[in-house]
Amino acid sequence: MKTTVTELFKIEHPIVSGGMVWCSGWRLASAVSASGGLGLLGAGSMHPETLAEHIAKTRAALADSGRPFGVNVPLFYPEIERVIQLLIDERVPIVFTSGGNPALYTGRLKEAGITVAHVVASARFAQKAEAAGVDAIVAEGFEAGGHNGREEITTMALIPQVRAATGLPLLAAGGIATGAGMLAVMALGADGVQLGTRFALAAESSAHEAFKQLCVTIGEGDTMLALKKLSPVRMIKNEFYRRVAEAEARGASAEELRELLGAKRSKRGIFEGDLTEGELEIGQIASLIREVEPVAEIMRRLVTEFDAAAERVSRWKTDTGKA
């Protein structure tokens, strides 16, 4: 399949793995890229020195194939200046930015020859990202796990609105874990997909095994947006979530919520496997995933499912005389 996304990133399939904190290390990123997609390292949970190590290992793992990889950088990262300079010095080919103003660093990255995409949660911010000079847009609906936009727009509603607002290559994210889901968002105007939850639960993800095994057992409604006074986060309803929900129900201040959250709560849950007191960030689509699989199998399944869904739609057109 060739789309503006495959051409821009020089990849085989229009599939990108999200740069997720505590999940997107070099093993996951290199496995996705080796399978024909675009693997991203998640800089949000790495010190600059750790990120440099993961860049080197990803590059080494892909050396024989020459396939590209990228890095996701949350712009609220406390050491953002050091990370931006590191990406330039390391000649990272592709950078996805999120969670801040893309105008701050897009020009500097592009001057260094880096292809830049930015994650948005509304058509208005997509237009701002385009004005900042990004090469591609990721539009993420609030079905997604982890940090979410305050607009709470679903992927189904978001993608056609962003498509109407910009002509840039467009990746859909949030609530997508199958080839049929890929086909659906591409019918709405996306040129490819960014998958978080599906790859967070891959064998190569650096998330704790206990976290993965819990995620493949949850049902519909077992995740919820919380911490809206700070930054909306979708997480599993565990004991920590229940304490957050109780605090929010009685009108807790942002400062009280910040104290309850504390430091490294997501690391405690996702990376260290504390299923009770950790912040267990995952998307709604986790309830559709029932096993932890290697990336190569996930990619094979996505492509097969996409083709089958496209054939099913084509057959429907023929059967109803609409061809």
Side-chain angles (χ1 to χ4, degrees):
M1 187 194 313
K2 290 190 181 296
T3 73
T4 56
V5 164
T6 61
E7 292 174 359
L8 177 65
F9 298 133
K10 297 178 175 60
I11 54 180
E12 183 180 352
H13 307 300
I15 300 170
V16 177
S17 63
M20 304 161 286
V21 294
W22 309 117
C23 297
S24 300
W26 72 270
R27 289 182 179 84
L28 179 60
S30 60
V32 172
S33 289
S35 297
L38 178 67
L40 299 182
L41 294 170
S45 53
M46 300 182 188
H47 292 296
E49 295 79 10
T50 306
L51 177 58
E53 178 183 343
H54 279 259
I55 290 171
K57 288 183 176 180
T58 304
R59 189 165 272 146
L62 296 172
D64 291 340
S65 67
R67 294 181 182 269
F69 69 97
V71 176
N72 173 270
V73 184
L75 295 175
F76 51 77
Y77 185 86
E79 297 180 276
I80 185 65
E81 285 290 342
R82 287 185 63 197
V83 168
I84 294 296
Q85 191 57 52
L86 171 65
L87 298 175
I88 293 171
D89 293 343
E90 290 287 342
R91 300 185 302 282
V92 170
I94 300 163
V95 170
F96 281 45
T97 56
S98 60
N101 181 3
L104 293 174
Y105 298 103
T106 296
R108 186 169 154 194
L109 291 168
K110 291 191 68 174
E111 285 174 7
I114 296 172
T115 300
V116 180
H118 187 69
V119 183
V120 303
S122 71
R124 179 168 62 93
F125 282 110
Q127 290 175 319
K128 288 188 174 182
E130 182 172 16
V134 304
D135 299 293
I137 299 289
V138 181
E140 183 176 81
F142 93 126
E143 300 96 323
H147 290 272
N148 259 285
R150 295 187 180 280
E151 296 83 357
E152 297 190 16
I153 305 172
T154 66
T155 302
M156 181 69 76
L158 178 62
I159 298 306
Q161 294 182 73
V162 173
R163 179 74 290 162
T166 176
L168 289 177
L170 174 61
L171 290 151
I176 308 163
T178 65
M182 284 179 58
L183 180 64
V185 293
M186 292 176 78
L188 291 172
D191 303 298
V193 295
Q194 176 180 284
L195 307 185
T197 294
R198 174 65 277 194
F199 287 120
L201 304 182
E204 293 88 345
S205 163
S206 51
H208 196 283
E209 192 62 26
F211 169 77
K212 296 180 191 180
Q213 292 303 323
L214 173 64
C215 287
V216 297
T217 66
I218 65 173
E220 297 171 314
D222 284 344
T223 71
M224 191 65 68
L225 279 182
L227 298 168
K228 294 182 183 181
K229 286 185 179 179
L230 303 180
S231 175
V233 179
R234 180 171 298 282
M235 64 180 85
I236 293 174
K237 295 176 179 177
N238 65 345
E239 181 57 35
F240 169 67
Y241 164 79
R242 282 186 276 276
R243 290 197 287 121
V244 169
E246 289 170 2
E248 290 182 322
R250 60 178 168 75
S253 66
E255 184 56 39
E256 184 178 347
L257 291 172
R258 193 172 291 110
E259 184 176 341
L260 178 60
L261 179 62
K264 301 180 180 178
R265 182 76 69 167
S266 62
K267 178 183 181 182
R268 185 171 172 179
I270 301 169
F271 192 68
E272 296 176 351
D274 186 338
L275 305 184
T276 302
E277 288 295 332
E279 183 183 341
L280 306 177
E281 301 177 8
I282 203 70
Q284 286 183 327
I285 202 66
S287 60
L288 190 64
I289 302 168
R290 283 295 170 259
E291 60 181 317
V292 175
E293 297 177 300
V295 163
E297 175 58 22
I298 292 170
M299 291 290 287
R300 185 202 64 78
R301 190 189 302 273
L302 287 169
V303 173
T304 301
E305 289 172 346
F306 181 93
D307 290 341
E311 174 62 26
R312 187 165 61 248
V313 172
S314 177
R315 190 166 58 248
W316 173 83
K317 289 176 63 180
T318 302
D319 292 345
T320 56
K322 298 182 183 297

